[in-house]
Amino acid sequence: MSKKGILTVISGFSGSGKGTVVKELVKNYGYAVSVSATTRQPRTGEREGIEYFFVSKEDFEKTIAEDGFLEHAEFVDNYYGTPKKYVDEMLDAGKDVILEIEVNGGLQVHSKRPDTVMIFMVPPSADELRSRLTNRGTEDMEKIDKRLARAYEETQYIDSYDYIVVNNDVTECMQSIHNIILSEKSRVRYNPELKSSIINDYKRFERR
Ligand code: 5GP
């Protein structure tokens, strides 16, 4: 049996730069990233099936009813969910999978799959976050204020995560996350076959 991939959740404030860092992780290290379904309207430049599957509220609810999501949550007036099938197919094929999702969804994944690596990403400061959201120019002031208020609410969930990374620099942040995942993959509990083969190999030296 080939080894299963490892599942990692990356959460963090909207505007923390998660998306950019995750893209770099895919490009440089070949991680599989789940494409979420959302009821939010596409932003300029976003493509169906690439950034998201853009669906109606009815279709989203239908998928919930069919138990098609690994997790789903409401975030600033819209629904977001992770399709279960793709994640399981990738993990079964031995691929390491990253989910870039908000905290409620992250906690759902962790409670269903306790081996998930939980990483929380923050921008260098709150001022920096506000200017990133403003400069992005994709949301009006009211939506930006909602996202900033939501960021404060999310600080209360940091304790549920295993690791916290500060995104000062995309390359450094990508490297830190990759190192965390590599360390997790070396855990004894992820390597039962390696452990058995080591024991078998040394058994011949057993004292009689
Ligand atoms: P945005 O609207 O900026 O693309 O995403 C808003 C928030 O929803 C971000 O924090 C993003 O990580 C999160 N998000 C994206 N996809 C999912 C998902 O499938 N499930 C959950 N729970 N959150 C998601």
Side-chain angles (χ1 to χ4, degrees), residues 12 14 18 36-37 40 43 52 71-73 75 80-82 100-102 105 136 147:
S14 170
K18 282 174 301 191
S36 301
R40 149 163 103 53
R43 295 182 184 131
Y52 284 105
E71 61 73 37
H72 60 90
F75 182 90
Y80 296 80
T82 305
E100 186 227 307
I101 60 179
E102 54 70 63
R136 192 159 81 175
R147 282 179 181 247

Side-chain angles (χ1 to χ4, degrees), residues 19 58 86 102 127 160 180 182 187 198:
E58 292 69 42
Y86 173 82
E102 54 70 63
D127 278 342
S160 307
I180 289 169
L182 284 185
R187 281 187 188 274
I198 292 168

Side-chain angles (χ1 to χ4, degrees), residues 3-167:
K3 204 171 150 194
K4 273 187 77 157
I6 193 168
L7 183 61
T8 298
V9 162
I10 301 180
S11 299
F13 312 140
S14 170
S16 61
K18 282 174 301 191
T20 311
V21 172
V22 169
K23 274 200 193 101
E24 289 298 305
L25 282 161
V26 173
K27 196 168 87 193
N28 291 288
Y29 299 111
Y31 288 98
V33 175
S34 163
V35 178
S36 301
T38 182
T39 60
R40 149 163 103 53
Q41 289 300 308
R43 295 182 184 131
T44 314
E46 283 185 334
R47 294 145 300 170
E48 169 69 17
I50 307 286
E51 279 80 14
Y52 284 105
F53 296 108
F54 296 97
V55 300
S56 65
K57 198 158 176 251
E58 292 69 42
D59 282 347
F60 197 94
E61 281 164 356
K62 196 162 157 256
T63 309
I64 296 175
E66 292 165 356
D67 195 27
F69 288 127
L70 174 58
E71 61 73 37
H72 60 90
E74 190 178 350
F75 182 90
V76 189
D77 307 332
N78 282 299
Y79 293 103
Y80 296 80
T82 305
K84 193 162 30 182
K85 191 163 169 277
Y86 173 82
V87 173
D88 284 332
E89 280 172 4
M90 287 294 132
L91 291 175
D92 288 344
K95 278 271 209 181
D96 298 326
V97 179
I98 294 179
L99 306 181
E100 186 227 307
I101 60 179
E102 54 70 63
V103 289
N104 283 314
L107 297 194
Q108 289 171 44
V109 174
H110 191 239
S111 75
K112 284 185 189 159
R113 309 204 176 172
D115 276 349
T116 305
V117 184
M118 302 288 289
I119 301 177
F120 198 91
M121 189 191 296
V122 292
S125 69
D127 278 342
E128 171 76 21
L129 180 63
R130 184 168 44 198
S131 64
R132 281 189 197 174
L133 284 174
T134 314
N135 294 339
R136 192 159 81 175
T138 53
E139 260 98 359
D140 59 29
M141 263 336 276
E142 193 198 329
K143 285 264 181 211
I144 290 173
D145 284 345
K146 275 194 176 179
R147 282 179 181 247
L148 288 169
R150 180 68 195 151
Y152 176 62
E153 285 167 24
E154 288 185 344
T155 58
Q156 287 152 41
Y157 293 83
I158 294 177
D159 269 340
S160 307
Y161 283 72
D162 301 312
Y163 298 94
I164 184 159
V165 289
V166 181
N167 184 11

